Amino acid sequence: MEPHMKRSSTSSLSSSSNDSTNYNSSDDSLLLRLQKEAQEISTSEPALSCMLHRTVLHPDATTFEKAVAIAVSHRLSLSVGSTGGGCGSPDLCPNVLQDIFLSAVQSKHKEAGHAIATALAQDALAYVRRDPACDTLLEPILFFKGYAAVVCHRVAHIQWHLSKTENKRKSFVSLWIQSQASSAFGVDIH
């Protein structure tokens, strides 16, 4: 089957609101799809159940962008924790990191005319549409380091702008996120 024709039952795309260039965070179809895929994996591969419930099935994952923020901040926190200070614990509290990510994805800050929620949805959908090896929306969000690195870059970018606006100085949190994301995912975006 040609790559552009392949789709599993859990990832069929159409030109509906799932594939819209104007993603609206009040449209929960992407969240429902993501969580359906996660539930199916949790049932078929119970070893991943704990990770799925800490990320995209977390009770605070009430919108698609919140699910992405929780998943990527969790992944970054684990990566940092494995190297942070040689003591096996992260330099930044995982809950604080998650709050920073959640705040950023809910901000009204626009990048290239789009809110971050729209950009996160478009990026994830692009993987599913274009990558023949990507069968679900869950894959880029949980496992693709390029996607995680871009999410971290967007969060750090928003933190940078908020700090410059509010404090008139650099944001060391944004520098920390960028540095740790570069270390964790092997991608340096500036």
Side-chain angles (χ1 to χ4, degrees):
M1 182 181 291
E2 294 295 322
H4 67 278
M5 296 174 64
K6 108 155 152 96
R7 289 288 166 240
S8 71
S9 62
T10 59
S11 67
S12 61
L13 287 177
S14 67
S15 59
S16 69
S17 63
N18 281 1
D19 204 23
S20 172
T21 56
N22 295 318
Y23 168 74
N24 179 352
S25 63
S26 64
D27 173 14
D28 61 359
S29 61
L30 284 182
L31 175 67
L32 294 175
R33 175 179 166 184
L34 180 67
Q35 291 183 331
K36 179 180 183 242
E37 292 170 356
Q39 288 291 356
E40 289 172 0
I41 298 302
S42 182
T43 301
S44 65
E45 299 184 51
L48 296 175
S49 184
C50 181
M51 183 266 297
L52 291 167
H53 282 86
R54 288 182 178 172
T55 57
V56 297
L57 296 176
H58 190 280
D60 291 339
T62 56
T63 64
F64 178 77
E65 60 273 14
K66 285 182 180 180
V68 169
I70 291 167
V72 175
S73 66
H74 176 75
R75 188 169 172 194
L76 183 61
S77 192
L78 289 176
S79 296
V80 171
S82 65
T83 60
C87 61
S89 64
D91 295 331
L92 189 63
C93 174
N95 293 336
V96 171
L97 185 61
Q98 180 175 307
D99 289 345
I100 290 167
F101 274 65
L102 288 170
S103 174
V105 300
Q106 296 173 87
S107 78
K108 301 296 181 203
H109 182 82
K110 298 218 179 226
E111 182 180 294
H114 297 288
I116 189 171
T118 302
L120 297 177
Q122 288 175 341
D123 290 346
L125 287 168
Y127 273 107
V128 177
R129 277 195 313 267
R130 298 175 190 160
D131 185 342
C134 182
D135 293 325
T136 66
L137 194 55
L138 193 60
E139 290 171 70
I141 293 164
L142 292 181
F143 306 119
F144 291 11
K145 67 182 181 177
Y147 184 79
V150 169
V151 171
C152 290
H153 170 74
R154 289 196 168 115
V155 169
H157 181 78
I158 289 169
Q159 283 298 121
W160 182 269
H161 282 284
L162 290 175
S163 181
K164 288 291 213 174
T165 303
E166 295 169 4
N167 304 327
K168 309 286 188 235
R169 63 181 182 86
K170 291 181 183 178
S171 167
F172 281 87
V173 170
S174 3
L175 293 172
W176 183 89
I177 291 170
Q178 182 278 329
S179 173
Q180 297 307 309
S182 176
S183 238
F185 306 123
V187 178
D188 195 7
I189 304 170
H190 183 63

